[in-house]
Each structure stands twice: as C-alpha cells, then as structure tokens.
Amino acid sequence: MARLYLSPPDLGHREAELIAEAIASNWITTLGPQNDAFERELASVTGVEHGVALASGTAALHLALVVLGIGRGDEVACASFTFAASANAIVYTGATPFFVDADSATWTIDVELLDRALAGRREAGARVRAVLAVDLYGQCCDYGALQDVCDRHGVVLIQDAAESLGSTYCGAPAGGQGALAAFSFNGNKIITTSGGGMLVSANPDWVEHARKLATQAREPVAHYEHVEIGFNYRMSNVLAALGRAQLESLPERVATRRRIRDRYAELLDVPGIDFMAEALYGTTNAWLTCVVVDPDEFGADRETIRLALEAEDIESRPLWKPMHLQPVFAGYEAFGGDVSGGLFERGLALPSGTAMTDEDQDRVVAGMLASRRS
Ligand SMILES: Cc1ncc(COP(=O)(O)O)c(C=O)c1O
C-alpha cells in the first residue's frame, strides 16, 4: 500500500496547461503575465486589493516587517504556538520577538494575555511595534478583539495567514484582517506553487515597496541603482501559473478538507479524542485535521498513536512545538505557555490531503484505534 502523507500536493491537468502557457510565452523568470494574474486573482478571492507574489510565506512575513520599518531596537509580539517561520522573520529584521501563549478554545493567540504582555513590555520601556498573529491549522485569530488591543497599544497587526487561505473571519475571507497578511503556497498547503507566498494589504504603498525590495530594491532607472538593501524574493512566473490553476479549485479544496475533518470526527467519536474546535466567529479551511489525545481515556498516548500509524506507513505529526520551548528562542521572553505546551504534548495532526479517499481515511482510523492498550 502506498504511503499516506499528511498533506501532499494535489495537482490536475489544469496545472500542466497553465505551466505550458507560461513556458510557451517565454516568461519564465520572476516577472510576467502569470504573476500579474495570480496577484489579481488572489486579490479577488481574498478581497484584499493589493498583493505581491513571493518566493515563500516566510519572505512575505519578512517583507511585512521590513516595510513597516521594524528593525534593531524594536520588539514584536508573536504567537508562541506556530511554525518557526513566524518568529524567524522577526529575528531576520534585527527586532526582538516575545512570545504569547494560545487561547485554549481557539488555539490562536490569547488576546487577554497579549494585552497584559504589551502593557508589561511597555512598562519595561520596550519599543513594541507590531503583533504577529497566526491563523492556526486554518483557524483565524479573534481579530475583532485583537485589533482593539493593538489599537489601544499603538501597534500594527500583522496576520500570518500561511495556513488559512479559504477560511473566513466574521464572513470575510482570511487575509484582510491584518494591516498586512502573508500567505504560503508551500507544498503542504491548501494550494501550492511548490514553494511560494504572497504579501497582501489594502495599503498599496506597502505592497509596492515590498515588490521593490523583493526585486533587489532596484531603483526605476536604466542602470542598477540601489538606495536600500533588497532581497531576491520574487515568485517565478512558471510557479505563479501553478498557483493560478490551484486557486481555481480553492472552494472545492476547502469543502473537501472540511468533509475529511467531519468524517474523522464521526469515525473517531470515542473517549479521549478531542477535535480542534471551530471558533464561532469564522469558518476554517480545515487545512489539517487536529486531535488532542487524553491517554488515560483513549488507552494510548499521542506518541504511541503516531508510531502505530508510522508502522502502517501513515504520516501524522505532533502539533507545532511552541516557540517558547524551542532551544533557538530560549533567550526570549514568553508570556504563559501551558496551553500551547499541552497542545504540543497531546496533539496530533492527521493526514488531510484533498486527494485522500475514504479508504485512506479508514486506514488512519483503524491504525489509531488499534494502537490502544487491549
Ligand atoms: C504559520 C506559518 N507561518 C509561516 C509559514 C512559512 O511559509 P513558507 O513555507 O511558504 O515560507 C508556514 C508554513 O510553511 C506556516 O505554517
């Protein structure tokens, strides 16, 4: 039987068609009609007017911070429960991150704790410039409350929407909640460009500045003139073609991931397995189905389940190890940590790819149930 992956790419003939179009047009570097169209089409899906296609979601986060002028001497609040890329981007700028724990209901940044953390850092004399809030496994943060706190403390809200394309917050597509938002089209995401990302914002100046910075900060003159430090961060026109094809089926992809999650919930309606709850304020794209295991009630702990699945050639993965527990970020301040620490210890992400069949899913469920102590 073939190995079952967590979230592999799901490609069709449309991808091949548009890539062939890109090649036939001879636009194969980081500028071209596919790039322009991908930016326009993503804007129409997310309702965020301006966007620049980039080499990765990490590049998008980095440029979001750079265009805000964040750097050495500044601090940025960051969700602790996230992938390291969120925190890495802060460190790239020379700024200092501090970490804030997750809310136990939504798993996204705890807004009350953030409020106290921002007050605490200000009292300590820190220059806090922004909050990097992360939409987790498809679930949007509580943006209404988050924006209030950011406004009160005079800091900019940056949305790490790497995992939430196709989700909604209060009826609006994910990506328009932060002053700037970063999407990822990494190979395991709901749509992929193999590797890639997009920085979006309602503010055209920020996006145009990011576009310039991403193109080695070249000044608009015939020769190569530079007045600021740039990056080579643009997306290839060939990969933008892949993204356009994938984006066309985003609604079906979201529906499939949600159906997979709901079917897991039906089949695993057993003591000791809890599913990530969907916040009342939005809908999630259910990027990865996540469960939390109570070993006493279920009869096996998270790691026993993971290893049992691995023995059946099924990939599953512990939830994000929070940043405050990562050796590389040990020197940075953290507020709270028990919620994300507990989710890391007991949480598991299950295979959730859009191409998986009911039979594949039955294999996962059977493997999980068989891992219990008899
Ligand atoms: C929450 C989060 N932020 C940032 C990233 C970075 O995106 P990329 O891999 O496209 O650089 C990812 C995924 O990889 C992610 O899950």
Side-chain angles (χ1 to χ4, degrees), residues 86-342:
S86 320
N88 286 343
I90 298 168
V91 176
Y92 295 164
T93 66
T96 303
F98 62 88
F99 299 111
V100 179
D101 202 5
D103 177 281
S104 58
T106 67
W107 301 8
T108 60
I109 195 165
D110 179 332
V111 181
E112 277 176 29
L113 185 60
L114 172 70
D115 194 9
R116 292 200 296 277
L118 288 169
R121 291 310 301 146
R122 196 167 44 194
E123 262 168 40
R127 193 169 70 202
V128 184
R129 298 282 312 282
V131 171
L132 205 161
V134 184
D135 299 339
L136 263 203
Y137 299 109
Q139 176 120 288
C140 283
C141 301
D142 187 359
Y143 282 108
L146 208 43
Q147 190 63 61
D148 284 349
V149 166
C150 288
D151 289 346
R152 211 147 13 83
H153 291 277
V155 296
V156 182
L157 178 56
I158 300 170
Q159 179 175 11
D160 183 341
E163 301 173 7
S164 63
L165 181 65
S167 302
T168 64
Y169 173 78
C170 289
Q177 290 70 37
L180 295 133
F183 288 108
S184 166
F185 314 119
N186 181 26
N188 65 4
K189 294 299 186 291
I190 193 153
I191 73 162
T192 184
T193 57
S194 75
M198 183 104 61
L199 177 66
V200 301
S201 175
N203 183 328
D205 297 339
W206 284 337
V207 172
E208 287 322 302
H209 190 196
R211 190 185 303 283
K212 177 190 167 199
L213 291 169
T215 324
Q216 301 286 23
R218 185 181 177 183
E219 295 298 320
V221 292
H223 65 276
Y224 284 96
E225 178 82 7
H226 305 276
V227 297
E228 57 188 333
I229 296 294
F231 307 89
N232 185 1
Y233 272 176
R234 291 302 309 273
M235 177 183 284
S236 147
N237 194 62
V238 179
L239 299 184
L242 185 51
R244 289 183 67 204
Q246 294 258 297
L247 192 59
E248 283 177 4
S249 56
L250 179 65
E252 293 77 26
R253 288 167 185 274
V254 172
T256 303
R257 297 238 180 201
R258 289 178 61 86
R259 190 188 65 76
I260 289 169
R261 180 204 57 184
D262 292 347
R263 188 159 182 274
Y264 271 129
E266 270 168 37
L267 298 175
L268 288 167
D269 185 15
V270 294
I273 298 285
D274 281 325
F275 284 77
M276 182 182 191
E278 188 159 10
L280 294 176
Y281 51 65
T283 58
T284 162
N285 63 12
W287 171 51
L288 295 181
T289 295
C290 299
V291 296
V292 175
V293 181
D294 179 327
D296 296 330
E297 282 198 26
F298 182 66
D301 62 14
R302 188 284 310 282
E303 198 52 12
T304 304
I305 299 173
R306 193 186 70 76
L307 291 172
L309 291 176
E310 194 53 51
E312 298 290 327
D313 225 0
I314 298 169
E315 183 184 33
S316 63
R317 197 169 292 164
L319 301 185
W320 298 127
K321 181 173 183 179
M323 296 306 106
H324 71 277
L325 297 179
Q326 297 286 357
V328 71
F329 296 122
Y332 297 106
E333 191 154 357
F335 293 83
D338 290 349
V339 174
S340 52

